[in-house]
Short mmCIF file of all heavy atoms in Angstrom, two decimals:
data_model
loop_
_atom_site.label_atom_id
_atom_site.label_comp_id
_atom_site.label_asym_id
_atom_site.label_seq_id
_atom_site.Cartn_x
_atom_site.Cartn_y
_atom_site.Cartn_z
N ALA A 1 90.19 -41.47 -77.15
CA ALA A 1 90.33 -40.19 -77.86
C ALA A 1 88.98 -39.68 -78.30
O ALA A 1 88.11 -40.46 -78.70
CB ALA A 1 91.25 -40.37 -79.07
N VAL A 2 88.80 -38.36 -78.22
CA VAL A 2 87.54 -37.71 -78.62
C VAL A 2 87.86 -36.45 -79.43
O VAL A 2 89.02 -36.18 -79.73
CB VAL A 2 86.65 -37.38 -77.40
CG1 VAL A 2 86.08 -38.64 -76.79
CG2 VAL A 2 87.42 -36.59 -76.33
N ASN A 3 86.83 -35.69 -79.79
CA ASN A 3 87.04 -34.57 -80.71
C ASN A 3 87.33 -33.23 -80.03
O ASN A 3 87.56 -32.24 -80.70
CB ASN A 3 85.85 -34.43 -81.67
CG ASN A 3 84.55 -34.15 -80.94
OD1 ASN A 3 84.51 -34.10 -79.72
ND2 ASN A 3 83.48 -33.97 -81.69
N SER A 4 87.32 -33.18 -78.69
CA SER A 4 87.67 -31.93 -77.99
C SER A 4 87.80 -32.18 -76.50
O SER A 4 87.33 -33.20 -75.98
CB SER A 4 86.58 -30.85 -78.22
OG SER A 4 85.41 -31.18 -77.50
N GLY A 5 88.41 -31.21 -75.83
CA GLY A 5 88.49 -31.28 -74.36
C GLY A 5 87.12 -31.18 -73.72
O GLY A 5 86.86 -31.78 -72.68
N THR A 6 86.23 -30.42 -74.35
CA THR A 6 84.86 -30.28 -73.86
C THR A 6 84.15 -31.64 -73.89
O THR A 6 83.51 -32.04 -72.92
CB THR A 6 84.08 -29.26 -74.72
OG1 THR A 6 84.78 -28.01 -74.69
CG2 THR A 6 82.67 -29.04 -74.22
N SER A 7 84.29 -32.35 -75.01
CA SER A 7 83.70 -33.68 -75.13
C SER A 7 84.27 -34.63 -74.08
O SER A 7 83.55 -35.43 -73.49
CB SER A 7 83.97 -34.27 -76.52
OG SER A 7 83.47 -33.43 -77.52
N ALA A 8 85.59 -34.52 -73.85
CA ALA A 8 86.25 -35.37 -72.85
C ALA A 8 85.62 -35.16 -71.47
O ALA A 8 85.29 -36.12 -70.76
CB ALA A 8 87.74 -35.06 -72.80
N LEU A 9 85.41 -33.90 -71.10
CA LEU A 9 84.80 -33.58 -69.80
C LEU A 9 83.35 -34.09 -69.72
O LEU A 9 82.94 -34.67 -68.72
CB LEU A 9 84.84 -32.07 -69.55
CG LEU A 9 86.21 -31.50 -69.19
CD1 LEU A 9 86.28 -30.01 -69.48
CD2 LEU A 9 86.53 -31.76 -67.71
N ASN A 10 82.59 -33.84 -70.80
CA ASN A 10 81.19 -34.30 -70.82
C ASN A 10 81.11 -35.81 -70.63
O ASN A 10 80.30 -36.32 -69.85
CB ASN A 10 80.52 -33.95 -72.16
CG ASN A 10 80.23 -32.47 -72.29
OD1 ASN A 10 80.29 -31.72 -71.32
ND2 ASN A 10 79.93 -32.02 -73.48
N LEU A 11 81.95 -36.53 -71.35
CA LEU A 11 81.91 -37.99 -71.30
C LEU A 11 82.42 -38.52 -69.95
O LEU A 11 81.83 -39.45 -69.40
CB LEU A 11 82.74 -38.59 -72.44
CG LEU A 11 82.11 -38.55 -73.82
CD1 LEU A 11 83.05 -39.12 -74.85
CD2 LEU A 11 80.79 -39.33 -73.85
N ALA A 12 83.50 -37.95 -69.46
CA ALA A 12 84.05 -38.42 -68.17
C ALA A 12 83.02 -38.26 -67.05
O ALA A 12 82.82 -39.17 -66.24
CB ALA A 12 85.33 -37.66 -67.84
N LEU A 13 82.34 -37.11 -67.04
CA LEU A 13 81.33 -36.90 -66.00
C LEU A 13 80.10 -37.77 -66.21
O LEU A 13 79.42 -38.12 -65.25
CB LEU A 13 80.94 -35.41 -65.94
CG LEU A 13 81.99 -34.52 -65.25
CD1 LEU A 13 81.73 -33.05 -65.54
CD2 LEU A 13 82.01 -34.75 -63.74
N SER A 14 79.84 -38.17 -67.46
CA SER A 14 78.69 -39.04 -67.73
C SER A 14 78.88 -40.42 -67.08
O SER A 14 77.92 -41.15 -66.85
CB SER A 14 78.46 -39.20 -69.24
OG SER A 14 79.32 -40.17 -69.80
N LEU A 15 80.13 -40.77 -66.77
CA LEU A 15 80.41 -42.07 -66.13
C LEU A 15 79.98 -42.09 -64.66
O LEU A 15 79.84 -43.16 -64.08
CB LEU A 15 81.92 -42.36 -66.17
CG LEU A 15 82.57 -42.58 -67.53
CD1 LEU A 15 84.09 -42.55 -67.40
CD2 LEU A 15 82.11 -43.89 -68.15
N MET A 16 79.81 -40.92 -64.07
CA MET A 16 79.66 -40.84 -62.61
C MET A 16 78.23 -40.63 -62.11
O MET A 16 78.01 -40.55 -60.91
CB MET A 16 80.54 -39.70 -62.06
CG MET A 16 82.00 -39.85 -62.40
SD MET A 16 82.67 -41.42 -61.84
CE MET A 16 84.11 -41.59 -62.88
N ASP A 17 77.27 -40.50 -63.01
CA ASP A 17 75.87 -40.26 -62.64
C ASP A 17 75.75 -39.15 -61.59
O ASP A 17 75.47 -39.39 -60.41
CB ASP A 17 75.21 -41.56 -62.15
CG ASP A 17 73.70 -41.37 -61.93
OD1 ASP A 17 73.15 -40.39 -62.45
OD2 ASP A 17 73.09 -42.20 -61.22
N ILE A 18 75.97 -37.92 -62.04
CA ILE A 18 75.97 -36.78 -61.11
C ILE A 18 74.63 -36.03 -61.11
O ILE A 18 74.55 -34.91 -60.60
CB ILE A 18 77.13 -35.81 -61.41
CG1 ILE A 18 77.05 -35.26 -62.85
CG2 ILE A 18 78.47 -36.46 -61.16
CD1 ILE A 18 77.95 -34.06 -63.13
N LYS A 19 73.60 -36.62 -61.67
CA LYS A 19 72.30 -35.93 -61.72
C LYS A 19 71.84 -35.57 -60.30
O LYS A 19 71.81 -36.41 -59.40
CB LYS A 19 71.25 -36.82 -62.39
CG LYS A 19 70.03 -36.05 -62.80
CD LYS A 19 69.11 -36.83 -63.69
CE LYS A 19 67.98 -35.92 -64.14
NZ LYS A 19 66.99 -36.60 -64.94
N ASN A 20 71.53 -34.28 -60.13
CA ASN A 20 71.12 -33.71 -58.82
C ASN A 20 72.20 -33.86 -57.74
O ASN A 20 71.92 -33.77 -56.55
CB ASN A 20 69.81 -34.35 -58.33
CG ASN A 20 68.70 -34.10 -59.33
OD1 ASN A 20 68.58 -33.02 -59.89
ND2 ASN A 20 67.89 -35.13 -59.58
N LYS A 21 73.44 -34.07 -58.17
CA LYS A 21 74.56 -34.16 -57.23
C LYS A 21 75.45 -32.93 -57.41
O LYS A 21 75.33 -32.18 -58.38
CB LYS A 21 75.39 -35.43 -57.49
CG LYS A 21 74.63 -36.72 -57.29
CD LYS A 21 74.31 -36.96 -55.83
CE LYS A 21 73.61 -38.30 -55.62
NZ LYS A 21 73.25 -38.48 -54.21
N GLU A 22 76.38 -32.74 -56.46
CA GLU A 22 77.25 -31.57 -56.49
C GLU A 22 78.67 -31.94 -56.91
O GLU A 22 79.18 -33.01 -56.55
CB GLU A 22 77.28 -30.91 -55.11
CG GLU A 22 75.94 -30.29 -54.74
CD GLU A 22 75.87 -29.75 -53.33
OE1 GLU A 22 76.81 -29.98 -52.53
OE2 GLU A 22 74.86 -29.08 -53.01
N VAL A 23 79.28 -31.04 -57.68
CA VAL A 23 80.67 -31.22 -58.12
C VAL A 23 81.47 -30.01 -57.67
O VAL A 23 81.13 -28.87 -58.01
CB VAL A 23 80.74 -31.37 -59.66
CG1 VAL A 23 82.20 -31.48 -60.12
CG2 VAL A 23 79.95 -32.59 -60.13
N ILE A 24 82.50 -30.25 -56.89
CA ILE A 24 83.35 -29.16 -56.38
C ILE A 24 84.40 -28.83 -57.43
O ILE A 24 85.11 -29.71 -57.93
CB ILE A 24 83.99 -29.57 -55.03
CG1 ILE A 24 82.88 -29.61 -53.96
CG2 ILE A 24 85.10 -28.62 -54.64
CD1 ILE A 24 83.33 -30.10 -52.61
N VAL A 25 84.49 -27.53 -57.77
CA VAL A 25 85.29 -27.12 -58.93
C VAL A 25 85.73 -25.67 -58.74
O VAL A 25 85.05 -24.89 -58.07
CB VAL A 25 84.41 -27.29 -60.21
CG1 VAL A 25 83.25 -26.30 -60.22
CG2 VAL A 25 85.21 -27.19 -61.48
N PRO A 26 86.88 -25.27 -59.31
CA PRO A 26 87.23 -23.84 -59.26
C PRO A 26 86.41 -23.06 -60.28
O PRO A 26 85.97 -23.62 -61.30
CB PRO A 26 88.72 -23.82 -59.64
CG PRO A 26 88.91 -25.05 -60.47
CD PRO A 26 87.93 -26.08 -59.97
N SER A 27 86.22 -21.79 -60.03
CA SER A 27 85.52 -20.91 -60.98
C SER A 27 86.50 -20.33 -62.01
O SER A 27 86.10 -19.91 -63.08
CB SER A 27 84.83 -19.78 -60.21
OG SER A 27 84.35 -18.79 -61.09
N LEU A 28 87.80 -20.34 -61.66
CA LEU A 28 88.82 -19.82 -62.57
C LEU A 28 89.22 -20.92 -63.55
O LEU A 28 90.17 -21.67 -63.34
CB LEU A 28 90.04 -19.33 -61.78
CG LEU A 28 91.03 -18.47 -62.59
CD1 LEU A 28 90.42 -17.13 -62.97
CD2 LEU A 28 92.32 -18.27 -61.82
N THR A 29 88.42 -21.04 -64.61
CA THR A 29 88.63 -22.06 -65.62
C THR A 29 87.87 -21.66 -66.87
O THR A 29 87.07 -20.72 -66.83
CB THR A 29 88.15 -23.44 -65.11
OG1 THR A 29 88.43 -24.44 -66.10
CG2 THR A 29 86.66 -23.46 -64.80
N PHE A 30 88.09 -22.38 -67.96
CA PHE A 30 87.28 -22.14 -69.15
C PHE A 30 85.89 -22.69 -68.88
O PHE A 30 85.72 -23.69 -68.19
CB PHE A 30 87.92 -22.81 -70.37
CG PHE A 30 87.21 -22.49 -71.66
CD1 PHE A 30 87.01 -21.18 -72.05
CD2 PHE A 30 86.72 -23.51 -72.48
CE1 PHE A 30 86.34 -20.87 -73.24
CE2 PHE A 30 86.07 -23.22 -73.67
CZ PHE A 30 85.87 -21.90 -74.05
N VAL A 31 84.88 -22.05 -69.43
CA VAL A 31 83.49 -22.36 -69.11
C VAL A 31 83.10 -23.81 -69.43
O VAL A 31 82.18 -24.36 -68.82
CB VAL A 31 82.54 -21.33 -69.80
CG1 VAL A 31 82.48 -21.56 -71.31
CG2 VAL A 31 81.15 -21.34 -69.17
N SER A 32 83.81 -24.46 -70.36
CA SER A 32 83.54 -25.87 -70.69
C SER A 32 83.53 -26.77 -69.46
O SER A 32 82.73 -27.70 -69.37
CB SER A 32 84.61 -26.43 -71.63
OG SER A 32 84.43 -25.96 -72.92
N THR A 33 84.46 -26.51 -68.54
CA THR A 33 84.57 -27.34 -67.33
C THR A 33 83.24 -27.35 -66.59
O THR A 33 82.77 -28.40 -66.12
CB THR A 33 85.67 -26.78 -66.39
OG1 THR A 33 86.82 -26.44 -67.15
CG2 THR A 33 86.04 -27.78 -65.32
N ILE A 34 82.61 -26.18 -66.53
CA ILE A 34 81.37 -26.04 -65.76
C ILE A 34 80.16 -26.50 -66.58
O ILE A 34 79.25 -27.13 -66.05
CB ILE A 34 81.19 -24.58 -65.28
CG1 ILE A 34 82.51 -24.02 -64.70
CG2 ILE A 34 80.07 -24.49 -64.24
CD1 ILE A 34 83.14 -24.80 -63.56
N HIS A 35 80.17 -26.19 -67.88
CA HIS A 35 79.09 -26.67 -68.75
C HIS A 35 78.95 -28.19 -68.67
O HIS A 35 77.84 -28.72 -68.69
CB HIS A 35 79.37 -26.29 -70.21
CG HIS A 35 79.01 -24.88 -70.57
ND1 HIS A 35 78.26 -24.05 -69.76
CD2 HIS A 35 79.31 -24.14 -71.69
CE1 HIS A 35 78.11 -22.87 -70.35
NE2 HIS A 35 78.73 -22.90 -71.52
N ALA A 36 80.08 -28.88 -68.61
CA ALA A 36 80.07 -30.35 -68.58
C ALA A 36 79.32 -30.87 -67.34
O ALA A 36 78.61 -31.87 -67.41
CB ALA A 36 81.49 -30.90 -68.62
N ILE A 37 79.47 -30.15 -66.24
CA ILE A 37 78.75 -30.53 -65.01
C ILE A 37 77.26 -30.36 -65.23
O ILE A 37 76.44 -31.24 -64.95
CB ILE A 37 79.23 -29.68 -63.80
CG1 ILE A 37 80.72 -29.92 -63.54
CG2 ILE A 37 78.40 -29.97 -62.55
CD1 ILE A 37 81.37 -28.90 -62.59
N LYS A 38 76.88 -29.19 -65.74
CA LYS A 38 75.48 -28.85 -65.98
C LYS A 38 74.83 -29.81 -66.98
O LYS A 38 73.70 -30.26 -66.78
CB LYS A 38 75.45 -27.41 -66.53
CG LYS A 38 74.15 -26.69 -66.30
CD LYS A 38 74.09 -26.08 -64.92
CE LYS A 38 72.95 -25.08 -64.85
NZ LYS A 38 72.61 -24.76 -63.47
N LEU A 39 75.55 -30.11 -68.07
CA LEU A 39 75.01 -31.00 -69.10
C LEU A 39 74.71 -32.40 -68.56
O LEU A 39 73.86 -33.11 -69.09
CB LEU A 39 75.99 -31.12 -70.28
CG LEU A 39 75.99 -29.95 -71.26
CD1 LEU A 39 77.20 -30.00 -72.16
CD2 LEU A 39 74.71 -29.94 -72.11
N ASN A 40 75.43 -32.77 -67.52
CA ASN A 40 75.20 -34.08 -66.91
C ASN A 40 74.25 -34.02 -65.70
O ASN A 40 74.15 -34.98 -64.94
CB ASN A 40 76.55 -34.70 -66.50
CG ASN A 40 77.27 -35.31 -67.69
OD1 ASN A 40 76.94 -36.40 -68.12
ND2 ASN A 40 78.22 -34.58 -68.24
N GLY A 41 73.58 -32.87 -65.56
CA GLY A 41 72.56 -32.75 -64.50
C GLY A 41 73.11 -32.45 -63.12
O GLY A 41 72.38 -32.50 -62.13
N GLY A 42 74.41 -32.12 -63.05
CA GLY A 42 75.02 -31.83 -61.76
C GLY A 42 75.00 -30.35 -61.42
O GLY A 42 74.63 -29.50 -62.24
N LYS A 43 75.41 -30.05 -60.19
CA LYS A 43 75.45 -28.65 -59.74
C LYS A 43 76.89 -28.29 -59.38
O LYS A 43 77.50 -28.93 -58.53
CB LYS A 43 74.55 -28.49 -58.51
CG LYS A 43 74.47 -27.05 -58.02
CD LYS A 43 73.69 -26.92 -56.72
CE LYS A 43 73.68 -25.48 -56.23
NZ LYS A 43 73.08 -25.34 -54.89
N PRO A 44 77.46 -27.26 -60.08
CA PRO A 44 78.82 -26.85 -59.73
C PRO A 44 78.85 -26.11 -58.40
O PRO A 44 78.03 -25.22 -58.16
CB PRO A 44 79.22 -25.93 -60.88
CG PRO A 44 77.94 -25.45 -61.48
CD PRO A 44 76.89 -26.47 -61.18
#
């Protein structure tokens, strides 16, 4: 359990080491989904 859905996404992606890697994702979503990729050094 964490304090928000945004935190959940940030932490889940932190497990995968996506720095300089690509994450396939829809654009029709709340911006948190995409921020989480960026915060972990990935490219949406």
Side-chain angles (χ1 to χ4, degrees):
V2 289
N3 62 357
S4 72
T6 303
S7 302
L9 286 158
N10 288 346
L11 284 178
L13 284 165
S14 81
L15 294 168
M16 302 304 159
D17 187 17
I18 59 166
K19 196 169 185 184
N20 301 320
K21 298 290 183 183
E22 293 174 351
V23 177
I24 290 175
V25 68
S27 169
L28 194 68
T29 183
F30 186 55
V31 72
S32 284
T33 316
I34 315 304
H35 279 348
I37 298 167
K38 205 83 165 164
L39 281 166
N40 281 281
K43 183 185 178 187

